[in-house]
Amino acid sequence: MSRWAGRAGRAGWAGAIALTASVVVLGAQPQPTPLQRLQAAVETQTRSVNATWGIYVKSLETGEEIAVDADRQMETMSTIKIPLMIEAFEQIKAGKFKLSDKYTFAAADSQPGTGTIQRLDPGATMTVKDLITMMIIVADNTASEVLYRMVGGPDAVNARMQAIGLQKTRAMNVPSKWFPQLRSASSTEQFYRDGKYPFGLAAPREMGRLLEMMERGTLVDKPSSELMLQMMRGQVYRTRIPRYVNGYRIPHKTGDFLPFVGDDVGVLEADGHTIVISIFTGQHFGSGEMLENAIGLVARDVADYFSYGR
């Protein structure tokens, strides 16, 4: 054998040994955990629709979490009505007014967009509890207008969120200021793109924290927390988080400015499972139906994981 052949042979054996070692090392790499697979599935769903996403999920039993830009401050639309509801319950607890107090509908309070009070005759009476309920289950903007006035406006809501320790959750505009700005814009899309008049701002993780406190009975107090959840369980709009989920009660609150913004935040409740799920989207200029469907698929993946997937 020539000197070169010998060297070539030794090089070949060395290469084979190195390749074998490489295969062994690659084969020893850890496989993704079930929770990592859930995170990957959720991220895949978000890439199916061209939008900005913020997602936070937490199991209150196991502490498992997934997050996709969960600390990004985003437009809340009507999900900001949860902090407004919380401030109302705090003031009720402090004795400033009562759930049973009566409100008489005045035409000057009527606000467009979602809700039913605007369609009633002036003089119709309802309780504060009715106002909060309608604000939550049908996103009633007239109820929101009245409740903002009762609690002292967005500043009171923001002070409460600050006291809780939430730095990114902010009520920004009452309906009577937001809708005139929308009407004066050259187009709905341009109004949204300009971004000068957010209805509210929050991060998915912070909204998730509010829901966790509510479920644990520590938000305001235990009776108030349970009553807020009870109201949210009556949510009428069910085309997002509940879309493909079965076997769970789902107290939740939507926020809408479709097709640009579609939010839904809530809790999946079942025996042995309490999962906070907070989904915000923005910068979406396609089909609102596709956006809602993608949110539903994210919630389905989360529900299936905690029901079957671990």
Side-chain angles (χ1 to χ4, degrees):
M1 178 182 295
S2 73
R3 181 177 59 181
W4 296 111
R7 289 179 178 176
R10 288 193 296 272
W13 280 108
I17 292 169
L19 179 60
T20 302
S22 175
V23 170
V24 170
V25 170
L26 288 173
Q29 287 184 342
Q31 295 299 306
T33 66
L35 188 63
Q36 287 170 336
R37 288 197 293 270
L38 172 62
Q39 174 105 18
V42 167
E43 290 176 355
T44 297
Q45 296 292 0
T46 66
R47 289 193 292 271
S48 71
V49 173
N50 186 15
T52 299
W53 290 78
I55 299 173
Y56 177 71
V57 175
K58 181 178 180 180
S59 165
L60 302 194
E61 284 75 28
T62 68
E64 292 171 288
E65 295 181 328
I66 66 168
V68 177
D69 287 335
D71 298 308
R72 181 200 298 266
Q73 190 180 53
M74 300 178 69
E75 168 66 77
T76 63
M77 293 311 297
S78 283
T79 63
I80 200 64
K81 293 169 183 175
I82 293 177
L84 173 53
M85 172 175 65
I86 292 164
E87 178 57 20
F89 272 94
E90 287 282 7
Q91 295 195 17
I92 289 165
K93 180 183 177 182
K96 294 185 178 180
F97 50 91
K98 297 181 291 186
L99 282 170
S100 58
D101 284 351
K102 293 293 197 322
Y103 160 74
T104 301
F105 175 46
D109 291 334
S110 182
Q111 298 299 316
T114 51
T116 58
I117 297 176
Q118 61 182 295
R119 294 172 176 82
L120 302 180
D121 292 330
T125 61
M126 58 208 77
T127 65
V128 170
K129 183 181 178 183
D130 293 333
L131 289 173
I132 299 172
T133 300
M134 286 187 282
M135 178 180 72
I136 294 300
I137 69 172
V138 292
D140 198 295
N141 289 318
T142 301
S144 302
E145 182 75 15
V146 174
L147 287 165
Y148 266 124
R149 186 169 67 233
M150 290 180 68
V151 304
D155 287 347
V157 175
N158 294 339
R160 184 70 59 186
M161 295 299 104
Q162 188 79 20
I164 292 173
L166 305 186
Q167 304 300 319
K168 297 180 179 179
T169 302
R170 294 289 177 268
M172 300 298 291
N173 278 288
V174 298
S176 60
K177 292 184 178 179
W178 190 85
F179 280 103
Q181 295 295 337
L182 174 62
R183 286 194 294 265
S184 66
S186 58
S187 69
T188 301
E189 182 174 326
Q190 193 59 50
F191 174 82
Y192 175 72
R193 287 186 182 276
D194 288 344
K196 295 179 180 178
Y197 301 98
F199 202 70
L201 298 169
R205 192 189 305 271
E206 288 195 353
M207 197 65 76
R209 183 178 169 194
L210 289 177
L211 296 171
E212 178 177 356
M213 294 171 68
M214 203 180 290
E215 282 286 348
R216 296 193 187 281
T218 61
L219 197 54
V220 186
D221 54 33
K222 190 170 181 61
S224 298
S225 289
E226 179 51 41
L227 184 51
M228 287 188 278
L229 286 168
Q230 180 181 321
M231 290 176 175
M232 291 171 65
R233 291 181 192 117
Q235 175 61 245
V236 170
Y237 305 122
R238 301 182 61 82
T239 54
R240 294 177 195 167
I241 288 176
R243 190 179 185 114
Y244 299 115
V245 175
N246 296 306
Y248 288 91
R249 290 188 306 177
I250 308 178
H252 68 117
K253 179 75 196 80
T254 57
D256 293 271
F257 194 22
L258 290 175
F260 319 113
V261 176
D263 300 337
D264 204 355
V265 300
V267 187
L268 308 182
E269 300 175 327
D271 291 342
H273 298 301
T274 311
I275 304 111
V276 166
I277 180 167
S278 177
I279 304 174
F280 286 3
T281 68
Q283 298 297 321
H284 177 259
F285 301 95
S287 162
E289 166 63 20
M290 289 184 65
L291 183 64
E292 291 193 311
N293 187 66
I295 294 170
L297 291 172
V298 168
R300 181 204 63 187
D301 287 345
V302 170
D304 287 352
Y305 170 79
F306 286 102
S307 296
Y308 317 112
R310 288 176 293 173

